[in-house]
Amino acid sequence: MRGRQRCQILSSQGCPTIKTTRAEGCGYMTSGMSDDRDDRYEAAIEWLKLMLALVTAAALTVIYLLMPDPTPGSVQEFIKACLPNLVSALIVFPAVFIVLGRVNLSTKDRIAQTIRQSLDSTEKGLTFANDVSGTADFVRDIIAKKSSQTAIKIEILAFTGGTFTTALLRDLVQLNPNKLHIVLRTIDFSRAQNKDSFPSHWEHEEAETVTRLKELCADQATLQIWRYPAFPFLLGLNIDESHLLITFPFWNHRTGKLADQSLEYRYYRRNAGSEYLFDLFENWRNQPDQTLLHSDTPHPTR
């Protein structure tokens, strides 16, 4: 009662009053003090989440370092390729979530922005060594998730198409009969500039690949084969304009020719951060002076 009387006296004297609830009263905890304590609890929980994520990331890093070199094209190779991205996600996701909390975003907005930034971070780092063979399981999983579609388009920019055919397309066609529309673009060795820059066996390999791929796709998949005369600036595979695997050629400085070696492919899902690479791939697949070698479709488009 004394507290309440004192508040009333101060009010009658023209002093500003403090709005409180009955449970708080004068001299008891205000709602502002309670909010401060809630904020401290929330901050502590967020830091605990961050510490847990860092511990998990450290454990996965140790597992990655202790894993033996996997067999090319195996599930173990796919898992080992994914581990660095899981570690990145475990670090980026809670860190970004906490930072966004400092700018007074709602929890819903913080989660949405954190997911977008985390996905951009992990997708940019997904790499596959051992050339096309290293991507085989990953690409098969992407196609399997599209099993409800009646048609799936696969566009390939290649040197000769040999590795794409033996390591990837053969299984994809057999697993997805009458669903795939494959467009392969290879070097036109009869018109190519700087032909001396290519390994000598590539021309024969390209001719064999064309024959083998036609037989493989007969009554199983639609196929177009184009030949381009320009120097091969980039290589890659595009699935339904939404998934991209891309790499760039290397030089063999000893021979002065393009290196006939395994390349590292990088995967990108189409989003604002990867749009440039999709545009780059589209630009080179539509390069001028291509010639159509084979088509199962009545009105092929380049």
Side-chain angles (χ1 to χ4, degrees):
M1 291 296 293
R2 289 182 179 178
R4 186 177 302 169
Q5 290 172 355
R6 181 172 177 79
C7 287
Q8 292 173 349
I9 293 172
L10 290 173
S11 178
S12 65
Q13 292 176 351
C15 296
T17 59
I18 302 174
K19 294 183 179 180
T20 62
T21 64
R22 177 177 177 84
E24 291 164 351
C26 290
Y28 288 87
M29 181 181 295
T30 65
S31 62
M33 294 175 63
S34 178
D35 290 342
D36 289 341
R37 187 167 66 178
D38 290 342
D39 290 342
R40 288 195 297 270
Y41 287 158
E42 184 178 352
I45 291 173
E46 289 176 350
W47 282 108
L48 286 174
K49 291 178 181 177
L50 178 60
M51 292 302 297
L52 179 60
L54 291 175
V55 171
T56 306
L60 290 175
T61 302
V62 172
I63 292 173
Y64 176 82
L65 295 174
L66 293 178
M67 284 184 69
D69 291 335
T71 304
S74 65
V75 176
Q76 288 80 4
E77 183 181 45
F78 174 71
I79 293 174
K80 190 167 185 177
C82 289
L83 281 177
N85 305 296
L86 291 174
V87 172
S88 299
L90 285 168
I91 295 174
V92 171
F93 194 96
V96 173
F97 191 80
I98 290 175
V99 169
L100 292 176
R102 299 296 177 263
V103 295
N104 296 323
L105 290 178
S106 68
T107 300
K108 181 180 178 181
D109 291 338
R110 288 163 66 187
I111 291 175
Q113 287 199 29
T114 300
I115 289 174
R116 284 196 296 269
Q117 294 187 33
S118 181
L119 284 175
D120 287 345
S121 173
T122 57
E123 287 175 358
K124 285 187 290 188
L126 193 56
T127 60
F128 298 89
N130 196 37
D131 211 85
V132 180
S133 300
T135 71
D137 288 340
F138 184 74
V139 174
R140 277 195 291 267
D141 287 343
I142 292 176
I143 300 297
K145 292 175 182 176
K146 295 174 172 285
S147 59
S148 60
Q149 296 181 203
T150 57
I152 302 169
K153 186 175 183 180
I154 300 175
E155 291 245 15
I156 296 172
L157 267 174
F159 291 142
T160 69
T163 307
F164 280 101
T165 299
T166 57
L168 185 62
L169 294 180
R170 181 174 55 193
D171 288 344
L172 289 180
V173 170
Q174 293 173 353
L175 293 171
N176 303 274
N178 301 312
K179 280 192 175 183
L180 303 183
H181 174 54
I182 299 169
V183 181
L184 174 66
R185 303 174 194 274
T186 64
I187 299 171
D188 187 341
F189 291 92
S190 65
R191 298 187 298 142
Q193 302 173 2
N194 301 318
K195 187 175 179 179
D196 292 340
S197 299
F198 305 139
S200 57
H201 67 278
W202 277 10
E203 185 171 1
H204 179 67
E205 181 180 299
E206 193 269 347
E208 286 188 335
T209 297
V210 168
T211 301
R212 193 163 60 246
L213 192 54
K214 287 180 181 178
E215 295 173 352
L216 175 66
C217 293
D219 300 321
Q220 296 292 317
T222 58
L223 174 66
Q224 287 184 27
I225 301 176
W226 294 81
R227 283 176 170 169
Y228 61 86
F231 191 81
F233 172 70
L234 62 83
L235 309 171
L237 177 146
N238 184 320
I239 303 173
D240 280 344
E241 305 294 340
S242 56
H243 302 274
L244 179 65
L245 284 154
I246 193 170
T247 191
F248 297 89
F250 275 71
W251 285 102
N252 184 326
H253 294 150
R254 181 178 58 82
T255 64
K257 298 178 182 290
L258 281 182
D260 187 27
Q261 66 179 48
S262 293
L263 300 173
E264 181 180 85
Y265 278 80
R266 291 179 178 267
Y267 167 75
Y268 298 88
R269 183 188 293 271
R270 191 159 207 156
N271 55 41
S274 64
E275 190 67 30
Y276 170 75
L277 291 172
F278 278 83
D279 290 343
L280 186 65
F281 183 90
E282 181 179 0
N283 181 269
W284 276 85
R285 81 179 178 199
N286 293 328
Q287 60 187 273
D289 297 328
Q290 295 183 71
T291 57
L292 179 64
L293 180 65
H294 172 82
S295 178
D296 294 331
T297 58
H299 301 290
T301 57
R302 193 172 63 187

